[in-house]
């Protein structure tokens, strides 16, 4: 009964998780109980045996979740270009090149009535593009996640195909092995029967010989 | 020593996705190893390891530290393993071919020792695979993952005393099974019958 009650302490001692009090209590019990001494020794031996199960060499299965650093640099550059474009559009930037020198002009006041609506169009376009970019940045984790999922599905399918192929090959090999084994057994069985029949015939002939000898001896 | 898991979790929750990569690097091998020991398949171990971290990535935003991060990860992995086992609808099988590429434990061992070790490795794996699920999980978490009893209780969501009962019963069964095969553990060496 006491052995049952110290079992938990035995596990704590076995795995080095016992505090000083329980260790002392358990050792007191151990000093008078040969059954528990043997049990502890057996468990230690078993733990040693269990260490024989080693893992195969592992390959990494999980790729990076965070986007690479240059992604942020590219995103920042795109935003700067967009902002610059927006600013130029607001300032009425105009560039012409029609059979003459290149003409660059800021603040297209000469065509105020036509430029103003264009600038507002540009402004709304830039604003909507910025909104899209912001949404894209916010939804970055989802995007990364989706990419990761599709990549994982692809890898998984490849691996499954490989496994199926390997299993089929293994199945063929096992079938061939089993066939060879069955044929060998059938052959051995036939030889055995053949041997038995031969022995039986020999014994019959031998008996017949005795019978003949006996009958010959009685005749005179 | 790098930042604690809890610090990395907080950083991720604050928007630092790279913090999650550090957590992956820290726990990937352990999680993959644990899954391998439960399912005995390298491919499935890698698949489910990916899935474990994917689930963690999705769920970490709402993780409130009710358990250790590592215990939470092990919980996800074990649940995925249980689902996979149920889907297989058969008991755990051990592919001896696959077990054959186990890494040699000792580089200085002779060829004979390596063969013997590999054989022992297969037998131990097969004996553990034949245990009931609860005992097998307790043994793997304790013996191979080195989790403490309170951590295992957290992962399996049972009291510590239940963990110890499952572990003790599992070890007892294992010892009997291995002894039936002539394998007796000793503190010097594990002896396998010829």
């Amino acid at each position: 009964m006491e052995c049952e009650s110290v079992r938990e302490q035995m596990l704590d001692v076995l795995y080095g998780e016992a505090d000083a009090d329980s260790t002392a209590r358990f050792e007191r019990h151990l000093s008078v109980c040969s059954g528990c001494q043997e049990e502890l020794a057996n468990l230690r031996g078993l733990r040693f045996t269990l260490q024989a199960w080693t893992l195969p060499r592992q390959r990494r299965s999980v790729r990076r979740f965070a986007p690479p650093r240059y992604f942020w640099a590219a995103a920042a550059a795109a935003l700067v270009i967009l902002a610059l474009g927006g600013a130029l559009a607001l300032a009425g930037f105009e560039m012409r090149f029609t059979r003459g020198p290149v003409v660059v002009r800021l603040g297209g006041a000469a065509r105020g009535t036509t430029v103003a609506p264009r600038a507002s169009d540009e402004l709304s376009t830039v604003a909507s593009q910025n909104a899209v970019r912001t949404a894209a940045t916010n939804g970055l984790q989802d995007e990364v996640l989706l990419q990761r999922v599709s990549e994982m599905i692809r890898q998984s399918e490849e691996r499954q195909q490989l496994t199926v192929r390997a299993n089929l090959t293994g199945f063929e090999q096992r079938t061939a092995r089993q066939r060879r084994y069955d044929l060998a057994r059938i052959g051995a069985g036939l030889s055995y029967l053949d041997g038995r029949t031969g022995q039986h015939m020999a014994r019959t002939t031998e008996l017949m010989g005795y019978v003949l000898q006996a009958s010959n001896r009685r005749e005179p | 020593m790098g930042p604690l898991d809890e610090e990395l979790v907080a950083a991720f929750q604050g928007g630092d996705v790279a913090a999650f990569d550090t957590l992956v690097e820290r726990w990937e091998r352990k999680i993959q190893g644990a899954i391998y020991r439960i399912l005995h398949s390298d491919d499935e171990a890698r698949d489910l390891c990916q899935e474990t971290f994917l689930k963690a990535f999705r769920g970490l935003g709402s993780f409130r530290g009710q358990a250790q991060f590592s215990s939470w990860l092990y919980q996800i992995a074990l649940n995925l393993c249980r689902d996979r086992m149920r889907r297989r609808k058969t008991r755990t099988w051990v592919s001896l071919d696959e077990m054959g590429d186990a890494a040699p434990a000792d580089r200085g061992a002779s060829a004979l020792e390596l063969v013997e070790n590999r054989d022992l490795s297969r037998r131990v794996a097969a004996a553990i695979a034949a245990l009931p699920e609860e005992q097998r999980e307790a043994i793997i978490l304790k013996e191979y993952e080195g989790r403490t009893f309170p951590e295992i209780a957290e992962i399996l969501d049972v009291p510590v005393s239940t963990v110890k009962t499952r572990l003790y019963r599992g070890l007892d069964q294992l010892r009997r099974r291995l002894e039936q095969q002539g394998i007796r553990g000793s503190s010097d060496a594990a002896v396998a019958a010829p």
Side-chain angles (χ1 to χ4, degrees), chain A residues 5-220:
Chain A
S5 66
V6 295
R7 183 175 292 160
E8 283 201 16
Q9 288 162 15
M10 189 189 288
L11 287 176
D12 285 335
V13 169
L14 184 69
Y15 288 99
E17 286 186 43
D19 57 32
D21 281 351
S22 1
T23 308
R25 214 174 315 133
F26 179 70
E27 279 176 354
R28 270 200 302 277
H29 172 77
L30 208 60
S31 63
V32 294
C33 179
S34 58
C36 282
Q37 285 173 19
E38 194 183 343
E39 181 72 357
L40 185 63
N42 281 338
L43 287 173
R44 283 190 169 137
L46 177 65
R47 286 201 67 199
F48 186 84
T49 306
L50 294 184
Q51 296 315 309
W53 184 18
T54 50
L55 286 175
R57 286 177 193 86
Q58 288 184 340
R59 281 171 285 167
R60 282 207 71 173
S61 53
V62 187
R63 293 190 182 174
R64 290 175 63 86
F65 277 78
R69 271 183 201 163
Y70 60 79
F71 178 89
W72 298 109
L79 278 175
V80 167
I81 290 166
L82 275 171
L84 193 63
L88 285 172
L90 277 174
F93 175 80
E94 202 176 341
M95 187 167 80
R96 281 190 187 168
F97 177 64
T98 43
R99 293 180 189 175
V102 178
V103 179
V104 176
R105 190 164 52 189
L106 279 176
R111 293 190 298 160
T113 49
T114 52
V115 168
R118 264 195 217 161
S120 71
D121 286 349
E122 289 284 337
L123 183 60
S124 63
T125 312
V126 168
S128 66
Q129 281 173 345
N130 277 341
V132 169
R133 293 280 167 187
T134 313
T137 311
N138 287 342
L140 183 63
Q141 287 191 2
D142 290 342
E143 200 182 312
V144 171
L145 203 59
L146 278 173
Q147 283 172 1
R148 192 86 42 212
V149 170
S150 4
E151 177 65 14
M152 279 163 51
I153 290 170
R154 192 188 59 73
Q155 286 175 0
S156 173
E157 279 173 356
E158 275 177 14
R159 273 200 294 274
Q160 279 171 16
Q161 280 173 2
L162 278 173
T163 311
V164 167
R165 245 177 275 148
N167 284 346
L168 277 175
T169 315
F171 178 70
E172 277 172 16
Q173 284 169 350
R174 277 198 300 278
T175 314
R177 227 173 12 237
Q178 185 65 41
R179 198 170 52 240
R180 281 199 300 276
Y181 174 73
D182 290 344
L183 283 172
R185 282 201 66 175
I186 290 167
L190 284 174
S191 308
Y192 173 72
L193 281 176
D194 205 19
R196 288 279 300 233
T197 314
Q199 281 175 6
H200 189 68
M201 289 286 289
R203 283 190 65 189
T204 312
T205 314
E206 198 179 354
L207 277 173
M208 286 294 290
Y210 282 130
V211 171
L212 280 173
Q213 277 176 12
S215 60
N216 287 340
R217 271 202 296 274
R218 277 180 200 166
E219 270 182 11

Side-chain angles (χ1 to χ4, degrees), chain A residues 11 14-15 39 42-43 46-47 50, chain B residues 131 135 139 142-143 164-178:
Chain A
L11 287 176
L14 184 69
Y15 288 99
E39 181 72 357
N42 281 338
L43 287 173
L46 177 65
R47 286 201 67 199
L50 294 184
Chain B
L131 290 175
Q135 295 172 12
I139 286 181
K142 185 73 212 160
E143 200 60 55
K164 287 181 179 173
T165 307
R166 289 178 186 177
L167 181 71
Y168 186 81
R169 287 187 183 152
L171 290 174
D172 194 43
Q173 278 205 45
L174 259 186
R175 188 176 62 202
R176 285 169 208 276
R177 282 172 204 269
L178 291 171

Side-chain angles (χ1 to χ4, degrees), chain B residues 16-62:
Chain B
D16 179 7
V17 184
F20 191 78
D21 284 329
T22 311
L23 287 167
V24 171
E25 273 170 32
R26 188 172 289 175
W27 289 103
E28 183 188 4
R29 287 177 67 84
K30 296 287 287 175
I31 295 291
Q32 196 173 325
I35 298 173
Y36 175 84
R37 289 194 193 275
I38 292 172
L39 297 178
H40 298 275
S41 159
D42 199 21
D43 287 341
E44 282 186 300
R46 273 188 288 136
D47 266 355
L48 288 200
C49 185
Q50 280 186 344
E51 219 171 311
T52 300
F53 281 101
L54 205 58
K55 279 199 163 199
F57 186 80
R58 284 195 211 117
L60 198 55
S62 53

